[in-house]
Amino acid sequence: MTAIIGGLFILVVHVLGVASAMRALMSSRTSQGAIAWIISLITFPYIALPAFWILGRPRFYGYVSAREERENELRDALEGVAERFTPFLPHLHTHNGRVRAVERLAMMPLTSGNQVELLIDGTPAFESMFQGLENAREYVLIQFFIIRHDRLGLALQQQMKACAERGVRVCFIYDEIGSHQMPERFFTELRSAGVEVTPFGSSRGWRHRFQVNFRNHRKLMVVDGRQGWVGGLNVGVEYLGEKRRVGAWRDTHMSLLGPSVLGLQAAFWEDWYWATGDVLPLEWQPQAAPQSDQHVIIVPSGPADRIDTAGLMVQNAIHTAKHRIWITSPYFVPDQSVQDALKLAALRGVEVRIMIPERPDHLLVYLSAFSFLGDMIRAGVGIYRYQPGFLHQKVMLIDDHTGAVGTVNLDNRSFRLNFEITGYVIDHHFAAEVEAMLSEDFANSRRVDISEISERPIWRKLMSRAAYLLAPVQ
């Protein structure tokens, strides 16, 4: 009897392995990924099966279903909104294929009538956000990947409670994995004060219980549908540079006034629907900023998209750059298509600069980069390592006309596994501000020499190649 049960178990595992291999064949986003999963599932199903069902899903299918289910509700809630944007659609000579591609990726228009403020590092960014909370009159939408139970987290908690106490509706989303260390009493106190709090979990429901590899990496805030904030900062004192172990923290956020804020609001609206099933009644009337006319488009991206929105946004920026493309990212393990785009841009004479941290906080990411940085340097790509502390900003500068600030890192997780969001600003004045900011950062960085890559001992080269094999799940 034991032998029969054992034989049945082996048969079931191998049948499931073959079935899962067929699923991998039909759903994997790359041929390399499909081949790796198929070989593993057929050869080592006992190990590969649980790994595939946790890490191998290419799309956030539950969110896709929710997006389809709420389409009618979304149409009802946003009926007539598209027409309201008509006065804010710019007619620019720059509104060519380069911009149209970003609009189609975002499924939102480029809007005029915006005012953008660059917020450099944590202290001015949180001062701006807290001032916005104090000015809130109708509702506040807050979303962060990580929130800490420390001085800054408690200060945000008090701000949210104060808003709720004066009758402002406060809706707060946090990622359940990114903020897994938070004590439940923190959220209980918020709910007791009238704040609506929900975690964003990717494993909701029995059908998606093993779907834990997706994250909501967005960091945004909206006040009354009029003012918004987006960028790289989470909520914790390390983002203010106050943790000795981490040291100085270099990050970038930005604040927005004008019609583009509704792009941030729409991304939150959809995440809230997934997390709670509720449709938030919000203000959808765009209003121009009083003192500026900058052009902005908000680009949300994530694993529920039909295409790889974030990766294509980055590739579009690289391919359309004529003179310069500067990119900063704390995690730099781009896929082959982005690597090739960067090398090709350098070969055609574009100044390509990539800024990454000197101090790693993820060892695998740090090691992986050494496996491909040599080829990029040989092609003319400038690789710079930031010296004063940890570099966490996610910023792009394209020529002298476009700056982008958001949450997207240049790695597979941001391109395919995380929900992200980027503010894409087409404005010469803003681009000049980004250039000045990054020029100072480059002055505080060292350029990586090819000898640093080529003269490493063989055991370190082997470690880098092994780490790079895990790039799809880092």
Side-chain angles (χ1 to χ4, degrees), residues 117-134:
E117 181 183 2
L118 194 64
L119 300 170
I120 301 173
D121 289 332
T123 297
F126 281 103
E127 286 177 353
S128 175
M129 284 185 272
F130 286 177
Q131 184 62 54
L133 291 173
E134 292 175 5

Side-chain angles (χ1 to χ4, degrees), residues 362-375:
H362 287 283
L363 182 60
L364 284 178
V365 173
Y366 178 79
L367 291 173
S368 295
F370 284 98
S371 64
F372 57 83
L373 286 184
D375 288 340

Side-chain angles (χ1 to χ4, degrees), residues 381-403:
V381 176
I383 305 295
Y384 295 78
R385 290 198 177 274
Y386 185 72
Q387 298 297 298
F390 185 67
L391 178 84
H392 191 255
Q393 63 177 330
K394 304 95 164 55
V395 176
M396 290 193 300
L397 176 64
I398 307 162
D399 294 332
D400 62 350
H401 53 68
T402 301

